[in-house]
Amino acid sequence: MIKGTTQLLGVIGYPVKHSMSPIMHNAAIATLGLDYAYLPFPIAPERLKTAIDGFAAVGLTGFNITIPHKQTIMPLLANISDVAQAIGAVNTVWWRDGGWWGTNTDAAGFIAPLQALGRDWGQSSALILGNGGAARAVVAACHQLGCPEILVVGRSAEKLAAFAQSWQTSPLQPPLSVHAWDKLNELLPRVGLVVNSTPVGMAPQVEASPLSAAQVALLPSQAIAYDLIYTPRPTRFLQQADTAGLVTFDGLEMLVQQGAAALEIWTQQPPPVEVMRQSLLDYLA
Ligand code: NAP
């Protein structure tokens, strides 16, 4: 029930109508019996500062950020965590000491199902397909896991070089190297984790996979295949990996876990992860 005491959370984006965050956060709020509501806010880029000044004026507790504001909000914040600075994007903001503080929970979201496996990641090299925004969170996460090398594979030499360069001045110093797509067959046999951070395989191109079945077969039998895509479930890439007997994770878990990490920052309570996951599964079904 929304009452005079209800506190406000939300997500800003432009557009924001496709965001599934209100679904999982309101499900969590109801389960915890909290006096909060989580709303979508479509904010045009030129209105960003006005909007967050307004959020301060009305006393929002915090909010999530999606495209196109994840980078442009950074100069408007009073404090930015090291991980968000390293990733170069903020997805979670909260009010503290008279200003907006920001972090990025995508790396924590990505890492959560991997940490639950209890593996010694110090022995597992990670290979990331793609060098866009999501790949940056995956690099930070693999560094946090303790992967001894992080191999980023992309199709543009220029963008790969810029990606590598951008980490040189970052607060994190991941053991990163960049590689052309045609080097994949040499790299795949030595990795313990392979991550698809390209949109290849996303609906409606559901028959596409970033790797051929023959390339998936080059992966060691204990390797983990992780696709950041969550529609379809599973992707063609994860079907191939499953057929090869590999452990697989998809992007839904990352989405749920980044939301859970944000909710914990705002409410200081353990989030009901199972409820958040089920709310999205129900919605997608
Ligand atoms: P992005 O910034 O646009 O980056 C996409 C990357 O994929 C770029 O490096 C791009 O290469 C590469 N790429 C695109 N098409 C390709 C192709 N046909 N072959 C090889 N490489 C290709 O996008 P993003 O924000 O990183 O998102 C990437 C994926 O992750 C999307 O599917 C998105 O839905 C998903 N994602 C999931 C979550 C989650 O919570 N589960 C969070 C964020 C993102 P070029 O630079 O050469 O174009």
Side-chain angles (χ1 to χ4, degrees):
M1 187 199 301
I2 295 189
K3 302 177 288 189
T5 51
T6 302
Q7 297 178 70
L8 209 48
L9 298 166
V11 53
I12 65 168
Y14 200 70
V16 78
K17 63 184 174 191
H18 301 297
S19 173
M20 295 197 290
S21 293
I23 294 160
M24 66 173 162
H25 282 293
N26 286 313
I29 287 164
T31 298
L32 292 173
L34 297 174
D35 191 11
Y36 281 93
Y38 185 108
L39 292 177
F41 296 106
I43 310 287
E46 65 276 15
R47 294 273 180 120
L48 181 61
K49 182 168 181 345
T50 308
I52 74 163
D53 286 348
F55 286 169
V58 298
L60 246 77
T61 299
F63 54 97
N64 285 129
I65 300 117
T66 187
I67 293 166
H69 302 310
K70 282 182 159 196
Q71 287 88 28
T72 49
I73 197 163
M74 294 175 78
L76 305 176
L77 302 177
N79 185 284
I80 298 172
S81 68
D82 279 357
V83 71
Q85 282 184 30
I87 293 169
V90 164
N91 80 336
T92 302
V93 164
W94 65 99
W95 185 257
R96 180 165 162 187
D97 299 337
W100 291 116
W101 287 39
T103 191
N104 191 310
T105 63
D106 281 337
F110 172 84
I111 220 174
L114 298 175
Q115 280 174 325
L117 292 174
R119 282 200 182 181
D120 176 7
W121 292 97
Q123 308 298 319
S124 290
S125 297
L127 187 151
I128 303 168
L129 302 165
N131 48 263
R136 301 191 66 83
V138 177
V139 168
C142 291
H143 182 46
Q144 197 186 327
L145 268 183
C147 296
E149 58 175 356
I150 302 171
L151 314 166
V152 176
V153 176
R155 60 181 179 174
S156 153
E158 212 171 286
K159 288 183 183 173
L160 276 174
F163 188 89
Q165 171 77 27
S166 71
W167 289 92
Q168 283 172 10
T169 51
S170 121
L172 307 185
Q173 290 293 315
L176 179 87
S177 58
V178 293
H179 305 267
W181 208 267
D182 62 10
K183 292 287 182 290
L184 265 175
N185 288 9
E186 292 163 37
L187 303 175
L188 289 166
R190 67 175 216 242
V191 303
L193 171 66
V194 59
V195 183
N196 178 31
S197 81
T198 79
V200 179
M202 190 158 69
Q205 262 81 49
V206 298
E207 296 304 321
S209 170
L211 297 183
S212 67
Q215 286 176 318
V216 172
L218 293 173
L219 287 160
S221 59
Q222 76 283 7
I224 289 165
Y226 201 141
D227 201 331
L228 302 195
I229 294 171
Y230 47 82
T231 45
R233 304 184 71 233
T235 56
R236 170 54 59 95
F237 168 50
L238 293 189
Q239 286 173 30
Q240 292 165 330
D242 192 50
T243 303
L246 308 182
V247 173
T248 64
F249 293 107
D250 69 25
L252 193 79
E253 196 56 23
M254 176 174 171
L255 185 68
V256 169
Q257 297 283 354
Q258 64 76 29
L263 192 66
E264 189 160 5
I265 290 171
W266 298 320
T267 67
Q268 301 292 307
Q269 293 199 29
V273 177
E274 179 55 42
V275 168
M276 297 174 84
R277 184 185 299 114
Q278 194 57 48
S279 70
L280 293 189
L281 290 172
D282 291 346
Y283 178 77
L284 289 170

